[in-house]
Amino acid sequence: MTSPWWQSAVFYQVYPRSFAPGSPGPTGDLAGIEQHLDHLGWLGVDAMWISPFYPSPQADFGYDISDFCDVDPQFGDLGTFDKLLAACHARDIKLLVDFVPNHTSDRHPWFQAARSSRDDPHRDWYIWRDGSPDTPPNNWVAAFTNESAWTWDDRTGQWYLHQFLPAQPDLNWANPEVVEAMHGVMRFWLDRGVDGFRIDVVHGIGKDPALPDDPPELAGIPHSALNDTPQTHELIRGMRRLVDAYPGDRVILGEVYLLSTELVAQYYGAGDELHLAFNFPPLLTPWEAPRWRKRIASTRRNIDDRGAWPTWVLSNHDNARHRTRYGTEDRARAAVFLLLGLRGSPVLYAGEELGLEDAVIPPERVVDPGGRDGCRAPIPWTPAPDHGWGVDDAWLPWPPDPRARNAETLLADERSIAHLYRRLLAARKASPALQLGGAVPIEAPGDVIAWRRTADPAGQAGPDDRIVAINMGPAPAAVPIAGTVLVASDGTGEDQAFAGTLAPDHAVLLAPDA
Ligand code: NOJ
């Protein structure tokens, strides 16, 4: 049986402002991405998803969209996009764009019309409620501001809902015209040839029509991390039918920011909702073996065991990079074995292959209302003072130590973390067990997690299996596994028999002895 491409694919996220400029400048753009596709090819990733590049006032750096079917001039135009897409396909790299269905910018013509009058035909495209100007309709809290998720509109005397900034009003997906218009947006990009969508806060789009208060014990948690309604599942099934009607296994990879793998799993439906869902509890898990063991088991129980396919992600544009969270390069190196060794589709975040840390952002350079500037620092491509950007200073400060920690320098050094990513990606591509096989935990000492990837999807051991072992503890650990080391997180002992001991914060991939 053949599996869809996205099941064995390794995804790579590009945050376009921070990746690379096509011509000298402080912000990246679509031409800059195209110029750096060699880097993706060198690494060996299969698919890229790009954060929003649509026209936007940039209140939330592109997640506040004023036209879903165009390109913001700062990133290029539709012609530049088509060129990038063709260049990706010429290299056999799939391209997903970010679909943001929950909200528009308050500058979107739909919202401008909606707020112009209570009688405007677009009024009901957003969520309005009566009330008095000092008491919001319910206790929902917006992300980033931690203030009410409702803003009073003076002119028309009603509240409107926004789970994010006031400049990001929520669309009313209970209105069939909204569904049709947003399906039109999906068709627009699918017709251009994209391979699918990363879907922003997809669990947020359906609302309980009664808009009930969040429980008092959860008060203060942004409603966007709690919204979980049956309406949303029906809406996702509609998107899925639309996407599945296109040829070529187009994929929807949904951001389900609910911090329970059990809840995330519901968004795969009965194989009729998301093809893939981000599962963030592992991303928020510290570098501790017992905690990781539980996360892996919970993913298996909730996602694999329902016949769905998990994803693994440790960094993105919304969270401190895992190199920063875990504290050392040794740990960042060992963490690649989680991403590329666990069963599911890995999603890498541009720059993690360079072992980048978050930039330190002095107060006068803070620009993001959500405090996420550090992980969005520009990628240093070269050791030169402009790091390949043609300007001394990009839109955010460089990550630490860019003279040594840049793509050119690390690619020239075979011992670098970039080469480790590349070797592990190649080992994965060469192994059906790692790409699509089963996964069986191996008993190991307390700080070690180990598992066997079996070529047999059901977990029966066989000659083409692989073993992954990671020591998350502070002391060397003896690990009861035998085989040839294919990849080691510190690069030592590769192609030799495993010596039986793992150093602290080290990992290996083995071909087990028969
Ligand atoms: C999730 C995105 O990843 C984040 O960057 C954005 O701010 C919110 N959704 C709102 O669109």
Side-chain angles (χ1 to χ4, degrees):
M1 201 179 81
T2 57
S3 58
W5 65 267
W6 44 262
Q7 217 170 335
S8 51
V10 175
F11 291 80
Y12 183 87
Q13 179 194 356
V14 164
Y15 192 67
R17 293 178 80 84
S18 304
F19 194 64
S23 52
T27 52
D29 55 25
L30 297 181
I33 301 175
E34 189 188 339
Q35 286 169 22
H36 286 78
L37 288 181
D38 274 352
H39 181 75
L40 276 70
W42 179 86
L43 205 54
V45 296
D46 306 287
M48 163 166 65
W49 76 270
I50 314 183
S51 285
F53 47 75
Y54 318 108
S56 159
Q58 307 288 330
D60 186 18
F61 294 99
Y63 283 95
D64 50 318
I65 297 169
S66 52
D67 181 351
F68 288 108
C69 298
D70 205 346
V71 173
D72 193 291
Q74 73 166 285
F75 294 118
D77 55 27
L78 284 171
T80 338
F81 176 80
D82 291 340
K83 226 171 129 260
L84 171 62
L85 180 60
C88 287
H89 286 168
R91 289 164 187 266
D92 226 3
I93 294 175
K94 308 277 190 195
L95 180 61
L96 275 59
V97 295
D98 206 327
F99 177 50
V100 184
N102 182 66
H103 44 269
T104 68
S105 161
D106 61 350
R107 304 294 164 81
H108 195 294
W110 299 342
F111 190 69
Q112 297 276 300
R115 83 182 318 178
S116 69
S117 133
R118 287 198 189 198
D119 302 324
D120 187 90
H122 281 91
R123 182 73 172 182
D124 185 50
W125 284 39
Y126 294 85
I127 300 170
W128 299 91
R129 284 295 179 277
D130 288 328
S132 89
D134 21 66
T135 317
N138 66 18
N139 71 353
W140 294 2
V141 166
F144 313 140
T145 62
N146 291 329
E147 290 174 4
S148 173
W150 296 91
T151 288
W152 177 256
D153 183 59
D154 245 345
R155 182 147 116 210
T156 54
Q158 278 189 316
W159 295 90
Y160 69 86
L161 177 68
H162 51 86
Q163 294 188 74
F164 295 89
L165 298 173
Q168 294 167 291
D170 275 40
L171 282 163
N172 177 18
W173 278 75
N175 180 337
E177 288 175 8
V178 168
V179 177
E180 196 38 46
M182 294 306 276
H183 281 189
V185 173
M186 297 179 86
R187 284 192 206 99
F188 176 86
W189 293 103
L190 290 166
D191 290 343
R192 289 197 106 78
V194 302
D195 300 290
F197 301 99
R198 177 268 187 187
I199 309 185
D200 192 63
V201 290
V202 70
H203 63 290
I205 61 177
K207 311 290 186 309
D208 181 333
L211 301 172
D213 274 347
D214 284 329
E217 66 276 15
L218 301 178
I221 297 180
H223 182 72
S224 58
L226 305 170
N227 195 77
D228 179 33
T229 70
Q231 285 83 355
T232 302
H233 293 281
E234 182 51 36
L235 294 167
I236 296 176
R237 285 193 284 274
M239 294 181 190
R240 171 70 178 260
R241 283 192 294 273
L242 185 157
V243 167
D244 278 356
Y246 278 77
D249 283 332
R250 317 281 175 112
V251 65
I252 47 177
L253 159 58
E255 184 202 24
V256 181
Y257 196 85
L258 294 170
L259 298 182
S260 141
T261 298
E262 206 177 332
L263 292 182
V264 168
Q266 307 296 321
Y267 286 78
Y268 288 89
D272 56 357
E273 296 188 30
L274 299 173
H275 299 97
L276 295 172
F278 280 115
N279 177 33
F280 290 123
L283 183 150
L284 301 169
T285 298
W287 189 250
E288 291 167 24
R291 305 273 291 268
W292 267 97
R293 226 173 264 129
K294 276 196 197 143
R295 289 296 181 215
I296 294 167
S298 149
T299 301
R300 182 179 323 115
R301 205 172 47 247
N302 290 298
I303 298 182
D304 300 63
D305 288 355
R306 71 185 284 149
W309 191 251
T311 64
W312 297 96
V313 63
L314 290 178
S315 287
N316 62 27
H317 65 295
D318 289 330
N319 295 280
R321 285 181 177 276
H322 64 276
R323 164 73 181 79
T324 296
R325 299 197 313 271
Y326 297 159
T328 65
E329 176 163 325
D330 276 354
R331 288 180 177 183
R333 283 173 175 258
V336 199
F337 291 71
L338 290 170
L339 282 167
L340 298 179
L342 287 167
R343 182 174 192 266
S345 298
V347 187
L348 312 179
Y349 178 47
E352 68 173 76
E353 74 279 19
L354 307 178
L356 294 185
E357 289 179 78
D358 283 11
V360 176
I361 312 289
E364 68 280 9
R365 300 226 25 204
V366 168
V367 289
D368 176 44
R372 299 161 293 180
D373 294 324
C375 62
R376 298 174 177 180
I379 306 285
W381 291 101
T382 73
D386 72 352
H387 300 300
W389 286 63
V391 289
D392 286 344
D393 212 6
W395 74 289
L396 284 171
W398 305 109
D401 203 14
R403 278 189 56 192
R405 201 170 279 286
N406 60 75
E408 187 181 305
T409 304
L410 295 181
L411 266 59
D413 176 2
E414 291 208 349
R415 294 157 312 165
S416 72
I417 185 169
H419 278 267
L420 171 66
Y421 267 84
R422 184 176 194 238
R423 286 202 304 285
L424 215 43
L425 271 150
R428 188 185 152 93
K429 197 153 278 177
S431 162
L434 282 176
Q435 288 191 308
L436 292 168
V440 182
I442 294 176
E443 288 250 0
D447 285 331
V448 174
I449 52 172
W451 62 94
R452 186 178 183 108
R453 295 297 310 278
T454 59
D456 169 33
Q460 193 63 42
D464 297 322
D465 294 354
R466 296 289 180 260
I467 288 177
V468 181
I470 306 175
N471 180 6
M472 295 185 168
V479 189
I481 52 177
T484 304
V485 176
L486 299 178
V487 185
S489 62
D490 62 1
T492 61
E494 293 182 357
D495 300 325
Q496 295 168 26
F498 177 58
T501 304
L502 264 183
D505 295 332
H506 276 61
V508 283
L509 170 71
L510 303 187
D513 291 340

